[in-house]
Amino acid sequence: DGGITQSPKYLFRKEGQNVTLSCEQNLNHDAMYWYRQDPGQGLRLIYYSQIVNDFQKGDIAEGYSVSREKKESFPLTVTSAQKNPTAFYLCASSIRESGELFFGEGSRLTVL
Amino acid sequence: QKEVEQNSGPLSVPEGAIASLNCTYSDRVSQSFFWYRQYSGKSPELIMSIYSNGDKEDGRFTAQLNKASQYVSLLIRDSQPSDSATYLCAGVAGGTSYGKLTFGQGTILTVHP
């Protein structure tokens, strides 16, 4: 079945450590996105990518980095520079010229 | 004004009633609109999209868009307990890339038996 796979689902990190969240899709979608959700809030865009080897900053990119070496994969690194990284991270994808997003199950990051 | 703002909620309706969820938006977010449903602890799923003025119906769901008033709404008829979730309104900014959505803060809906 086609879909988006995020891993890990739960992750604990000590302050000062970088962590990488995986996102893989087999929907053959061109565009991929990373959103962050804090309790009781909507989603905020971190990074997005429309094609391989290209990506753009979203509204809250500081402290995060991404790569898009393959169409299927869009990993997100939460660096030690991110001041408040505890959140629910959602990866999504869409076909070209569509605003309809398909989401992965999310990764919940907690900084100890 | 926030780019996409939803009525604050939470909203509680009895089973079988109509639930009305509302969203207003700024000039920057004016192209297309989407409603996502998010169950507690889960990821959002798309339930409705609307691209032009008027109503769009899909089963028990009706999305309404009024560009003159900068207003978009979602009506859920014959509400069921399984409709209890957070509903997120999202819009695409004019002239920007597809899928770069701006989300409202969400409205929590509870349907009680």
Side-chain angles (χ1 to χ4, degrees), chain B residues 26-102:
Chain B
S26 71
D27 288 339
R28 203 182 83 83
V29 183
S30 60
Q31 290 295 305
S32 310
F33 296 90
F34 306 86
W35 285 98
Y36 287 82
R37 177 176 62 199
Q38 186 176 24
Y39 292 114
S40 181
K42 303 296 185 182
S43 59
E45 58 177 328
L46 179 69
I47 55 171
M48 289 288 284
S49 55
I50 187 163
Y51 299 94
S52 57
N53 268 332
D55 295 358
K56 179 182 177 182
E57 187 174 320
D58 184 2
R60 296 186 295 111
F61 298 96
T62 299
Q64 300 174 317
L65 176 58
N66 183 327
K67 290 193 174 184
S69 300
Q70 296 184 279
Y71 177 92
V72 59
S73 65
L74 179 70
L75 300 178
I76 306 174
R77 291 181 300 280
D78 188 23
S79 296
Q80 302 296 310
S82 59
D83 294 326
S84 298
T86 297
Y87 289 81
L88 299 164
C89 173
V92 176
T96 62
S97 58
Y98 50 85
K100 188 174 180 293
L101 300 180
T102 298

Side-chain angles (χ1 to χ4, degrees), chain A residues 3-108:
Chain A
I4 301 177
T5 302
Q6 288 187 240
S7 63
K9 288 189 177 180
Y10 298 94
L11 183 61
F12 297 89
R13 187 193 95 175
K14 293 181 180 179
E15 284 192 19
Q17 289 181 335
N18 293 354
V19 294
T20 297
L21 307 180
S22 170
C23 179
E24 303 278 333
Q25 56 102 356
N26 60 3
L27 299 168
N28 199 33
H29 286 172
D30 291 299
M32 297 187 73
Y33 314 84
W34 275 104
Y35 284 89
R36 168 182 172 142
Q37 187 175 37
D38 293 286
Q41 297 189 29
L43 280 62
R44 292 183 291 167
L45 182 64
I46 304 172
Y47 269 98
Y48 65 103
S49 168
Q50 298 177 14
I51 57 172
V52 175
N53 293 323
D54 187 51
F55 48 83
Q56 307 295 326
K57 291 182 179 180
D59 300 319
I60 55 165
E62 185 175 352
Y64 299 98
S65 65
V66 293
S67 62
R68 187 86 186 275
E69 298 177 0
K70 299 186 299 181
K71 185 176 184 178
E72 301 79 16
S73 179
F74 191 41
L76 173 74
T77 296
V78 184
T79 75
S80 57
Q82 169 50 234
K83 299 302 181 188
N84 185 21
T86 295
F88 188 41
Y89 291 89
L90 289 156
C91 180
S93 69
S94 70
I95 62 174
R96 290 183 72 84
E97 298 172 6
S98 168
E100 299 177 358
L101 303 186
F102 292 83
F103 285 89
E105 292 187 341
S107 294
R108 199 169 297 276

Side-chain angles (χ1 to χ4, degrees), chain B residues 4-8 22-24 35 87-89 103-107:
Chain B
V4 178
E5 194 154 3
Q6 298 186 234
N7 56 333
S8 54
N22 305 310
C23 180
T24 57
W35 285 98
Y87 289 81
L88 299 164
C89 173
F103 285 83
Q105 75 274 27
T107 298

